[in-house]
């Protein structure tokens, strides 16, 4: 009996897992085929542009998720501390408590970096600005707010790399837990 057909969304989710586990460089079409359970021809049916298109679609899916679960709550109603805590809770879910690789690490270097660096830079800057706007609401000046937002992103991404290297997600969880208070600390 043939395997049931996967929806395109299921295929994209499986591709995302493969890219995040193996990195862009480590994901040959053979590995992507194995990860999805689809023949290479079926992958090309879904993604005529090959691996590059698959990665671009995965990045779009991630960006959509971040828009809904990170940006929207940050731009929503409520106290700044609450909105920042919603962001960190969403990041904890997205990164499975620090067990998933950071997106910038997977798609920001090597061949993927050549293909997607500009897009990733724009997305990261947009995230920084959304965080900074929340911090500015509390009376922190724009320059300090943007620096704090940048430091927050560096902390998050760095903690994810550190977690991958050490095998312990304690640092990632600690960074997320302390982030709202650090972002909103009084200016000295």
């Amino acid at each position: 009996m043939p395997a049931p057909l996967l929806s395109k969304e299921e295929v994209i989710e499986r591709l995302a897992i493969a890219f995040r586990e193996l990195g862009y460089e480590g994901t040959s079409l053979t590995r992507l085929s194995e990860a999805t359970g689809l023949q290479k021809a079926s992958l090309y049916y879904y993604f005529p542009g090959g691996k590059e298109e698959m990665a671009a679609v995965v990045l779009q899916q991630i960006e959509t998720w971040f828009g809904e679960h990170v940006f929207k709550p940050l731009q929503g109603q409520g106290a700044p501390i609450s909105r920042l805590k919603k962001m960190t809770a969403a990041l904890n879910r997205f990164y499975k408590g620090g067990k998933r690789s950071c997106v910038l690490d997977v798609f920001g270097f090597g061949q993927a970096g050549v293909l997607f660096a500009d897009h990733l830079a724009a997305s990261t800057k947009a995230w920084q600005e959304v965080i900074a706007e929340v911090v500015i609401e509390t009376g922190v000046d724009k320059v300090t707010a943007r620096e704090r937002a940048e430091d927050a992103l560096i902390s998050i991404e760095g903690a994810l790399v550190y977690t991958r290297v050490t095998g312990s997600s304690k640092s990632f969880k600690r960074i997320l837990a302390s982030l709202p208070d650090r972002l909103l600390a009084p200016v000295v």
Side-chain angles (χ1 to χ4, degrees):
M1 182 169 164
L5 295 176
L6 298 173
S7 69
K8 190 167 184 178
E9 292 74 29
E10 291 170 308
V11 172
I12 294 168
E13 183 58 36
R14 290 180 183 194
L15 291 171
I17 292 167
F19 281 123
R20 292 178 82 180
E21 288 178 355
L22 304 168
Y24 184 83
E25 304 294 331
T27 51
S28 64
L29 284 177
T30 299
R31 289 198 171 201
L32 292 169
S33 175
E34 290 168 359
T36 60
L38 298 174
Q39 298 294 320
K40 290 178 189 177
S42 295
L43 283 174
Y44 276 112
Y45 172 78
Y46 283 124
F47 309 99
K51 179 177 158 179
E52 182 178 336
E53 183 180 351
M54 291 177 215
V57 170
V58 166
L59 280 172
Q60 182 58 52
Q61 179 201 46
I62 291 168
E63 195 169 89
T64 300
W65 191 95
F66 264 70
E68 183 66 29
H69 299 280
V70 176
F71 283 47
K72 190 174 179 181
L74 284 171
Q75 295 168 325
Q77 300 296 312
I81 191 84
S82 298
R83 293 169 18 223
L84 289 167
K85 286 181 179 182
K86 286 178 184 176
M87 175 191 75
T88 58
L91 293 173
N92 192 50
R93 286 190 311 274
F94 181 79
Y95 287 111
K96 301 263 188 224
K99 294 178 182 150
R100 282 186 170 171
S101 296
C102 81
V103 175
L104 298 180
D105 191 26
V106 172
F107 293 107
F109 300 98
Q111 183 184 10
V114 172
L115 297 170
F116 304 114
D118 290 343
H119 182 81
L120 290 172
S123 296
T124 302
K125 283 294 186 186
W127 188 11
Q128 178 184 353
E129 284 303 311
V130 171
I131 293 171
E133 289 301 321
V134 174
V135 176
I136 289 167
E137 286 179 34
T138 67
V140 174
D141 66 275
K142 288 181 182 184
V143 171
T144 302
R146 285 188 177 100
E147 288 173 353
R148 286 182 181 186
E150 181 180 55
D151 290 347
L153 296 178
I154 291 167
S155 295
I156 292 164
E157 297 300 324
L160 287 165
V161 172
Y162 187 81
T163 293
R164 188 170 59 156
V165 170
T166 64
S168 171
S169 60
K170 287 168 49 174
S171 297
F172 177 72
K173 291 176 183 177
R174 180 176 48 79
I175 291 296
L176 289 184
S178 68
L179 209 55
D181 289 331
R182 286 187 321 164
L183 283 163
L184 301 178
V187 178
V188 287

